[in-house]
């Protein structure tokens, strides 16, 4: 191949042609208050060797915020033997697809970019984190193998001045001068920083809010309008900005805000906003209605903000805003324009490259990328051994072909067992079921059925996924059961000692079978890997459940605690949970209630074929006998609570009001420094209750605070009962392969009167702060689903709807996508757990920061309760509004999202509001 070193001879390279408007001037931008600069003259030739020396001098004078810049990331010309391809002038042809290397800066929006590029490029990009490839690897892929046509650098937490935040990106931006590159947010700041610009604090952090954009008409904004009221509005997530005054001549401003104020999402649709909620009315109110003291940017900015730059001689672009956000206008067009820029660049510069592109190697690169989504990725790991590249390619191409064939067995189940886990024993499950039409209404409803069938002996070892709030079809089915047939078992998992970082995600699993025998095992690969193998080991016939209108037909039902985040990418757990980190029953017998039709179903699964149905027959007799003595669903049960002298005091918070407010201030400082966009701070309320009727408490809670994703779980051996009245779905996968998340962000109390209630609802709907919170989490969940869904399938059918419950109004969005065929149910959960509404964004950095602020384990709170059906469907909630009763103590977790617009006192009040319904239920019952 050609031998063109990136050294002093580079100034002979013809500069890349640029479209610009010579008469365009800089706007008033932040960092450059009263200066007008003419755009660069038409001749934009720069000697690259001198330019690189200037880069080094500028960068070396910058004050790194956290760490001294390591030598391998210092701006410098590329050294070594890696070379670029020859630049030929013959005309080329249009690329059928464009191959992108997407460098992930540990962000929670990267896979939104991934989804967009997959659709626009015609091929999914390859995603690598910023510390996973060495510079030698990057050069090998880009120049030896010609594996990529362009590079996109993702957003991320932190600053480009910190090597740990930006990784390999600085060297890519500096030395890959002949590769088209687009940097988004942190990537934009890195492009500026590597060429000598300063990255400074913005006059105000802006997260989850929109701005109108002006641009200079360059190619990146082709077919996109510009300026005030043009319809070009973009979402911003940033606390830092590029100081325009420090821009070198070779970096050209191409976009900036068209006004000094940021807007809420609904303000960009002003025709839909009632006049009484327009700017300047309710937005400055606090407490019940509230936003924050800072309405529309808080204090007015005196300058517009730089939103985009381009390099004068390189095909490098940066955007401060997020084109991938659900609320950004014309975002897809920007990515389409970048593809066209890439195509034009290669047509004019390297036409022979079209014949030299290595398709075989591109396929190979995709395979480890897919597998890495669902396994722990060691930092600084090299993905490919260059010397063994050919063997690596062949092995993974072989596996790809095997995985893509989709072989089926057992009349419908994808036979992945022998392929992925050949040592696992295959379990052949047979389902039998009966339906009783309209029975639920005749026997008094779900409560009476549960109490009759499972309420005896303190309801030990029972479960009830309880759709106790079914208004507006939020939920339809309830599932209940107890210790059942021969396949019943209980899984109890506890993570190993948190102080041993080598054991991250590993722990001890205890399995109790139907005969009462218990076995303990140390899981080297963690609980989720075990659960994945279990679900893959089931064989079944799809015909068995034809006619059933629900997706849970038996399988695992229980909870995953928040600490399982270490199996989903989090670095560690600072605090050890007092409760097991996961507990599940394997439910082989269950009763299902259809609240829409009032039908009742009884289901039983067994191994092999048998014509006997003793449990079905026995349960049928109990249900029919219950019919004659039915009471109504709404009748208050005769509850007997056992109390102790310790029960007289109210709940005590882990942190006082002053401490919690201080923690909010810490979160806001982290946000100001760019470490996070949103931090979901939580705490716990606790009360010693001694021995009590836990089922009675749950029945009281569901009566006072009905919820669509409520649940009762009793793990008697662990002395653990969970009384959950959650209104929030975490994630569901149905039989059609559709994933759905329904995050809640934004909560306000119900009003005392109808008029006041409607006022509170409208205040929530048009709250700038709550819209920003919700938008950030919607984009995060789009990212999480984007990791496991078909390209182009992730969508948001409902954005920022307000739903009303017994005690609160909440702002809820719905995100859906089509699951890829090569991922499993547990893969989907691993990609999204814990729910983003309980972490903030970016998720990994936010969880790390929250661990350092919160002073106790969240335990079950912030985790998920639900089921994993044996046919790979699942439905999981977010554990909020929940009383956890463990070893004589009741605990209630609560918190809220902290963003730049937060008011600390209001955040404390919102946290307390969220504990009121469960805490009041406990106090009333005692």
């Amino acid at each position: 191949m050609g031998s063109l070193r990136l050294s002093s001879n580079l100034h002979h390279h013809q500069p890349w042609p640029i479209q610009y408007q010579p008469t365009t001037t800089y706007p008033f931008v932040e960092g450059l208050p009263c200066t007008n600069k003419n755009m660069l003259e038409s001749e934009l030739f720069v000697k690259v060797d001198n330019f690189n020396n200037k880069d080094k001098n500028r960068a070396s004078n910058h004050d790194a915020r956290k760490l001294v810049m390591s030598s391998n990331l210092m701006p410098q010309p590329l050294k070594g033997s890696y070379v670029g391809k020859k630049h030929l002038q013959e005309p080329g042809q249009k690329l059928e697809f464009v191959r992108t290397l997407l460098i992930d800066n540990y962000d929670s929006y990267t896979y939104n970019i991934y989804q967009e590029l997959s659709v626009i490029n015609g091929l999914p990009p390859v995603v690598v984190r910023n510390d996973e490839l060495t510079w030698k690897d990057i050069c090998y892929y880009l120049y030896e193998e010609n594996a990529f046509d362009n590079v996109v650098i993702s957003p991320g937490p932190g600053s480009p001045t910190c090597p740990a935040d930006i990784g390999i990106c600085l060297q890519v931006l500096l030395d890959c001068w002949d590769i088209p590159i687009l940097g988004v947010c942190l990537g934009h700041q890195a492009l500026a920083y590597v060429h000598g610009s300063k990255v400074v604090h913005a006059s105000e952090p802006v997260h989850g809010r929109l701005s109108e954009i002006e641009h200079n008409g360059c190619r990146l904004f082709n077919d996109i309008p510009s300026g005030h009221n043009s319809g070009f509005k973009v979402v911003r997530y940033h606390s830092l900005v590029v100081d325009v005054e420090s821009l070198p001549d070779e970096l050209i401003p191409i976009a900036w805000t068209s006004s000094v104020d940021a807007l809420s999402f609904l303000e960009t649709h002003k025709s839909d906003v009632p006049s009484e909620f327009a700017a300047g009315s309710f937005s400055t109110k606090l407490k019940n209605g509230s936003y924050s003291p800072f309405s529309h940017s808080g204090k007015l900015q005196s300058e517009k903000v730089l939103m985009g730059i381009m390099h004068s001689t390189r095909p490098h672009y940066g955007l401060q805003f997020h084109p991938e956000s659900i609320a950004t206008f014309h975002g897809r067009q920007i990515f389409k324009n970048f593809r066209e820029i890439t195509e034009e660049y290669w047509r004019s510069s390297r036409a022979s490259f079209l014949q030299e592109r290595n398709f075989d190697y591109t396929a190979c690169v995709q395979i480890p990328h897919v597998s890495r989504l669902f396994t722990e990725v060691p930092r600084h790991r090299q993905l490919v051994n260059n010397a063994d590249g050919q063997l690596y390619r062949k092995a993974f191409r072989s596996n790809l072909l095997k995985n893509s064939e989709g072989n089926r067995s057992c009349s419908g189940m994808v036979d992945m067992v022998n392929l992925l886990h050949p040592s696992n024993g295959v379990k052949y499950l047979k389902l039998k079921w009966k339906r009783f039409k309209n029975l639920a209404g005749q026997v008094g409803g779900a409560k009476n059925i549960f109490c009759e069938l499972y309420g005896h002996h303190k309801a030990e070892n029972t479960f009830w996924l309880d759709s106790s709030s079914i208004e507006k079809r939020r939920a339809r089915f309830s599932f209940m059961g107890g210790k059942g047939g021969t396949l019943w078992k209980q899984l109890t998992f506890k993570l190993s000692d948190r102080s041993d970082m080598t054991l991250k995600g590993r722990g001890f699993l205890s399995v109790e079978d139907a005969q009462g025998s218990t076995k303990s095992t140390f899981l080297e690969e963690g609980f989720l890997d075990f659960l994945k193998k279990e679900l893959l080991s089931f064989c079944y016939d799809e015909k068995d459940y034809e006619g059933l209108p629900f997706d849970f037909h038996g399988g695992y039902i229980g909870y995953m605690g928040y600490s399982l985040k270490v199996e989903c990418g989090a670095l560690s757990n600072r605090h050890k949970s007092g409760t097991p980190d996961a507990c599940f029953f394997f439910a082989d017998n269950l009763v299902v209630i259809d609240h829409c039709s009032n039908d009742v179903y009884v289901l039983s699964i067994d191994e092999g074929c048998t014509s006997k149905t003793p449990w079905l027959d026995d349960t049928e007799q109990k249900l029919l006998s219950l019919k004659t003595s039915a009471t109504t669903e709404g009748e208050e049960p005769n509850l007997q609570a056992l109390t102790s002298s310790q029960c007289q005091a109210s709940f005590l918070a882990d942190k006082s009001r002053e401490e919690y407010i201080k923690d909010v201030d810490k979160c806001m400082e982290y946000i100001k420094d760019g470490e996070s966009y949103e931090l979901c701070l939580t705490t716990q309320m606790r009360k010693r209750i001694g021995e009590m009727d836990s089922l009675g408490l749950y029945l009281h809670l569901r009566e006072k605070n009905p919820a669509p994703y409520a649940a009762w779980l009793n793990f008697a051996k662990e002395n653990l009962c969970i009384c959950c009245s959650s209104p929030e779905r975490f994630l569901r996968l149905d039989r059609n392969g559709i994933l759905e998340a329904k995050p809640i962000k934004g909560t306000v109390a119900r009003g005392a009167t109808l008029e006041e209630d409607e006022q509170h609802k409208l205040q929530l709907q048009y709250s700038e702060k709550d819209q920003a919170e919700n938008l950030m989490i919607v984009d995060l969940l789009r990212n999480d689903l984007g990791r496991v869904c078909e390209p182009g399938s992730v969508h948001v059918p409902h954005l920022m709807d307000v739903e009303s419950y017994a005690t609160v109004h909440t702002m809820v969005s719905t995100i859906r996508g089509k699951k890829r065929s090569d991922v499993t149910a547990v893969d989907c959960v691993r990609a999204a757990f814990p729910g983003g509404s309980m972490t903030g964004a970016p998720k990994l950095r936010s969880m790390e920061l929250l661990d350092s602020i919160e002073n106790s384990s969240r335990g079950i709170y912030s985790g998920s309760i639900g089921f994993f059906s044996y046919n790979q469907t699942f439905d999981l909630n977010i554990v909020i509004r929940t009383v956890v009763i463990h070893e004589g103590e009741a605990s209630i977790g609560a918190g809220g999202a902290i963003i730049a617009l937060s008011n600390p006192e209001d955040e404390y009040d919102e946290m307390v509001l969220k504990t009121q319904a469960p805490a009041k239920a406990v106090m009333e019952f005692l």
Side-chain angles (χ1 to χ4, degrees):
M1 64 186 298
S3 150
L4 181 65
R5 293 181 181 272
L6 299 182
S7 58
S8 60
N9 63 340
L10 288 185
H11 66 274
H12 299 297
H13 169 63
Q14 289 292 315
W16 184 63
I18 295 178
Q19 294 182 355
Y20 65 98
Q21 298 174 351
T23 58
T24 303
T25 59
Y26 288 89
F28 288 104
V29 290
E30 187 167 292
L32 190 60
C34 298
T35 304
N36 287 328
K37 276 191 177 181
N38 290 327
M39 293 288 287
L40 295 177
E41 298 298 329
S42 57
E43 294 297 316
L44 294 170
F45 294 78
V46 177
K47 289 190 176 181
V48 180
D49 53 341
N50 295 331
F51 164 62
N52 282 337
N53 291 331
K54 181 171 58 177
D55 288 343
K56 287 192 290 183
N57 294 333
R58 281 203 174 107
S60 64
N61 293 327
H62 284 187
D63 179 24
R65 184 171 52 82
K66 293 180 181 176
L67 302 173
V68 176
M69 182 73 73
S70 58
S71 59
N72 68 313
L73 292 181
M74 281 295 291
Q76 57 186 336
L78 173 64
K79 297 178 180 178
S81 61
Y82 290 98
V83 293
K85 292 290 183 183
K86 287 183 178 179
H87 292 246
L88 302 179
Q89 300 303 316
E90 62 264 31
Q93 62 190 70
K94 185 177 178 65
L95 301 180
E96 293 182 10
F97 53 83
V98 170
R99 304 160 308 158
T100 296
L101 175 64
L102 177 52
I103 303 178
D104 176 23
N105 288 303
Y106 287 85
D107 195 53
S108 287
Y109 299 149
T110 301
Y111 278 85
N112 295 332
I113 298 175
Y114 171 91
Q115 285 278 322
E116 288 294 315
L117 293 178
S118 296
V119 172
I120 289 160
N121 289 352
L123 183 74
V126 172
V127 183
V128 296
R129 283 182 167 161
N130 63 21
D131 55 2
E132 289 182 299
L133 294 181
T134 65
W135 175 236
K136 184 177 180 181
D137 291 329
I138 291 284
C139 292
Y140 178 74
Y141 293 150
L142 291 177
Y143 296 110
E144 293 284 349
E145 289 288 346
N146 283 325
F148 302 104
D149 304 316
N150 63 27
V151 176
V152 174
I153 298 175
S154 86
S159 165
T161 66
C162 175
D165 292 341
I166 199 65
I168 198 67
C169 298
L170 295 185
Q171 194 155 9
V172 170
L173 284 163
L174 185 69
D175 289 329
C176 295
W177 53 267
D178 57 348
I179 302 289
I181 300 176
L182 174 64
V184 178
C185 201
L186 183 65
H188 155 87
Q189 295 167 9
L191 174 60
Y193 174 68
V194 82
H195 292 294
S197 297
K198 294 179 182 178
V199 177
V200 298
H201 282 96
S203 59
E204 182 201 5
V206 179
H207 297 107
R209 296 155 72 200
L210 288 80
S211 290
E212 294 182 306
I213 298 297
E214 295 180 43
H215 59 77
N216 71 343
C218 73
R219 184 65 182 275
L220 191 64
F221 297 112
N222 193 35
D223 293 330
I224 296 175
S226 174
H228 184 59
N229 291 331
S230 69
F232 185 25
K233 304 177 183 73
V234 303
V235 176
R236 297 164 60 186
Y237 295 112
H238 66 99
S239 301
L240 307 177
V241 294
V242 175
D243 179 9
V244 178
E245 197 168 44
S246 69
L247 279 179
D249 289 342
E250 52 268 17
L251 293 181
I252 305 171
I254 60 173
W256 46 90
T257 56
S258 66
S259 63
V260 295
D261 289 336
L263 304 170
S264 68
F265 172 74
L266 287 179
E267 279 184 283
T268 65
H269 303 76
K270 285 191 175 180
S271 60
D272 301 327
V273 181
S275 59
E276 65 268 28
F277 291 95
S281 50
F282 282 96
S283 55
T284 56
K285 291 194 173 183
L286 300 180
K287 306 293 180 186
N288 287 336
S290 118
Y291 281 78
S292 100
F294 305 117
S295 168
H296 309 301
S297 302
K299 49 182 180 292
L300 289 178
Q301 298 171 338
S302 59
E303 311 90 15
K304 298 179 182 180
V305 183
L306 182 66
M307 286 286 114
I309 56 176
M310 67 182 291
H311 195 279
S312 61
T313 61
R314 304 179 178 192
H316 294 182
Y317 295 83
L319 297 174
Q320 179 63 78
F321 60 86
H322 284 241
E324 80 285 356
S325 172
I326 185 65
T328 290
F329 294 70
H330 305 292
R332 179 164 292 185
Q333 183 64 40
I334 290 174
F335 289 118
K336 180 181 178 183
N337 291 341
F338 184 59
R339 170 183 171 143
E340 292 174 353
I341 287 169
T342 299
E343 292 174 327
E344 181 178 317
Y345 177 79
W346 293 126
R347 280 199 301 268
S348 63
S349 301
R350 285 165 61 174
S352 62
F353 183 77
L354 293 168
Q355 284 74 45
E356 297 169 350
R357 300 199 308 164
N358 193 328
F359 301 102
D360 185 52
Y361 191 80
T362 301
C364 132
V365 176
Q366 293 290 102
I367 303 305
H369 152 69
V370 171
S371 66
R372 285 188 294 113
L373 283 177
F374 317 114
T375 57
E376 175 53 32
V377 184
R379 294 170 75 91
H380 309 292
R381 180 171 68 109
Q382 291 190 25
L383 299 182
V384 180
N385 184 322
N386 294 341
D388 299 327
Q390 287 294 331
L391 293 176
Y392 190 79
R393 274 201 294 280
K394 292 176 182 177
F396 275 106
R397 277 181 61 81
S398 175
N399 282 341
L400 174 63
L401 292 174
K402 290 179 182 178
N403 278 303
S404 64
E405 290 173 1
N407 296 326
R408 290 182 172 265
S409 66
C410 302
S411 303
M413 177 187 175
V414 177
D415 186 12
M416 300 177 71
V417 179
N418 293 327
L419 177 65
L420 299 177
H421 307 288
S423 62
N424 272 16
V426 177
K427 303 176 183 68
Y428 295 90
L429 301 183
K430 187 67 178 175
L431 171 68
K432 295 186 180 297
W433 56 274
K434 294 182 179 181
R435 181 181 70 155
F436 305 96
K437 295 189 67 174
N438 304 313
L439 182 62
Q442 299 172 31
V443 301
K447 179 185 69 179
N448 282 1
I449 294 174
F450 184 85
C451 290
E452 173 65 23
L453 297 181
Y454 305 108
H456 310 291
H457 309 295
K458 299 182 181 179
E460 292 183 349
N461 301 315
T462 60
F463 62 85
W464 183 5
L465 300 185
D466 177 19
S467 298
S468 57
S469 173
I470 59 172
E471 300 98 328
K472 300 181 180 179
R473 302 180 66 87
R474 290 174 182 145
R476 178 177 170 184
F477 303 102
S478 290
F479 304 91
M480 57 183 66
K483 193 168 183 177
T486 58
L487 296 182
W488 181 93
K489 58 185 173 182
Q490 179 181 326
L491 308 181
T492 305
F493 178 72
K494 297 181 180 180
L495 286 163
S496 57
D497 187 356
R498 281 23 170 217
S499 65
D500 186 350
M501 295 300 294
T502 64
L503 299 179
K504 186 175 73 171
R506 306 175 185 180
F508 295 90
L509 177 71
S510 174
V511 181
E512 179 185 357
D513 63 21
Q515 291 72 44
S517 176
T518 301
K519 294 182 180 179
S520 294
T521 309
F522 185 76
L523 298 182
E524 293 281 348
E525 297 179 342
F527 178 76
L528 291 177
D529 187 76
F530 170 85
L531 183 62
K532 177 177 176 176
K533 292 176 182 178
E534 280 285 295
L535 293 172
L536 287 174
S537 73
F538 297 133
C539 253
Y540 53 88
D541 190 335
E542 289 181 353
K543 293 179 180 179
D544 285 355
Y545 50 81
E546 284 182 358
L548 291 177
F550 45 85
D551 289 321
F552 184 40
H553 311 129
Y556 286 105
I557 193 164
Y559 76 83
M560 300 184 299
Y562 178 75
S563 293
L564 281 191
K565 69 182 191 291
V566 294
E567 296 190 26
C568 305
L571 290 176
S572 64
N573 284 309
R574 181 183 178 192
H575 309 290
K576 184 175 178 63
S577 174
T579 54
D581 296 295
C583 259
F584 281 86
F585 298 120
F586 185 85
D588 52 358
N589 299 327
L590 67 149
V591 175
V592 184
I593 298 165
D594 184 342
H595 296 286
C596 181
S597 65
N598 272 326
D599 292 348
V600 177
Y601 297 80
V602 291
L603 291 78
S604 183
I605 52 176
D606 205 343
E607 281 195 272
C609 297
T610 175
S611 58
K612 297 181 180 180
T613 58
W615 183 85
L616 292 179
D617 299 336
D618 180 57
T619 303
E620 177 180 0
Q621 291 304 312
K622 289 180 179 179
L623 288 171
L624 293 177
S625 64
L626 177 63
K627 181 177 179 179
T628 62
S629 59
T631 60
T632 62
E633 174 75 41
E635 184 177 324
E636 189 71 24
N638 182 20
L639 305 176
Q640 297 294 325
L642 301 175
T643 63
S644 71
S645 60
Q646 298 170 304
C647 296
Q648 304 308 313
S650 61
F651 279 83
L652 296 176
D654 281 359
K655 291 190 175 182
S656 67
R657 176 188 176 93
E658 292 72 22
E659 289 171 326
Y660 191 84
I661 288 174
K662 186 177 179 180
D663 286 346
V664 174
D665 288 331
K666 287 181 186 176
C667 291
M668 295 180 74
E669 280 298 312
Y670 282 127
I671 291 167
K672 178 183 176 182
D673 289 339
E675 296 295 330
S676 177
Y677 318 135
E678 176 174 2
L679 289 164
C680 296
L681 180 68
T682 75
T683 189
Q684 299 266 340
M685 305 280 192
R686 305 180 193 275
K687 178 175 174 56
R688 294 300 305 177
I689 58 173
E691 189 175 345
M692 69 174 298
D693 176 10
S694 301
L695 176 59
L697 170 62
Y698 175 67
L699 294 175
H700 183 63
L701 175 64
R702 77 185 293 271
E703 190 75 25
K704 297 297 183 181
N705 195 46
Y709 310 109
W712 156 266
L713 293 171
N714 184 339
F715 299 97
K717 197 171 182 180
E718 301 300 322
N719 196 8
L720 173 63
C721 294
I722 303 172
C723 305
C724 175
S725 60
S726 174
E728 183 172 1
R729 167 175 280 150
F730 163 47
L731 197 61
R732 176 181 70 178
L733 175 65
D734 67 19
R735 69 181 70 183
N736 298 314
I738 301 299
L739 281 163
E740 178 184 89
K742 289 179 69 71
I744 289 176
K745 267 288 156 264
T747 302
V748 67
R750 299 293 300 264
T753 66
L754 287 176
E755 183 179 0
E756 184 182 54
D757 192 56
E758 185 64 20
Q759 188 83 344
H760 286 192
K761 183 177 180 180
L762 288 172
Q763 286 175 344
L764 175 63
Q765 180 75 70
Y766 296 104
S767 162
E768 182 177 14
K769 172 186 176 292
D770 291 304
Q771 290 175 47
E773 284 183 24
N774 201 282
L775 179 57
M776 281 188 261
I777 299 306
V778 167
D779 279 341
L780 188 155
L781 265 297
R782 290 175 59 238
N783 171 87
D784 291 350
L785 267 63
R787 299 177 67 189
V788 292
C789 285
E790 294 288 350
S793 71
V794 179
H795 62 288
V796 182
H798 303 287
L799 183 60
M800 301 185 195
D801 288 349
V802 173
E803 295 185 357
S804 300
Y805 295 87
T807 59
V808 295
H809 300 293
T810 62
M811 187 178 284
V812 186
S813 294
T814 303
I815 303 99
R816 294 188 186 126
K818 175 71 173 178
K819 182 185 76 69
R820 293 203 323 258
S821 60
D822 60 331
V823 297
T824 68
V826 175
D827 293 336
C828 296
V829 172
R830 194 195 298 271
F833 187 84
S837 62
M838 302 307 296
T839 64
K843 185 185 286 187
L844 295 181
R845 178 68 61 86
S846 295
M847 289 192 294
E848 196 176 328
L849 295 173
L850 290 165
D851 257 11
S852 72
I853 298 171
E854 297 175 357
N855 63 351
S856 61
S857 170
R858 296 189 185 185
I860 298 168
Y861 169 66
S862 297
S864 293
I865 294 171
F867 69 76
F868 289 89
S869 185
Y870 68 77
N871 65 336
Q872 294 267 329
T873 63
F874 64 82
D875 198 353
L876 300 166
N877 76 1
I878 296 285
V879 181
I880 54 177
R881 320 291 199 272
T882 297
V883 183
V884 175
I885 303 170
H886 184 231
E887 297 179 348
E889 180 184 73
S891 63
I892 301 170
I898 313 303
I899 66 171
L901 291 173
S902 289
N903 176 280
E905 288 78 13
D906 287 350
E907 294 297 341
Y908 177 80
D909 292 344
E910 182 179 330
M911 182 274 292
V912 172
L913 169 66
K914 292 172 179 176
T915 68
Q916 284 181 354
K920 184 178 180 182
V922 173
M923 299 308 296
E924 288 176 346
F925 183 71
L926 292 175

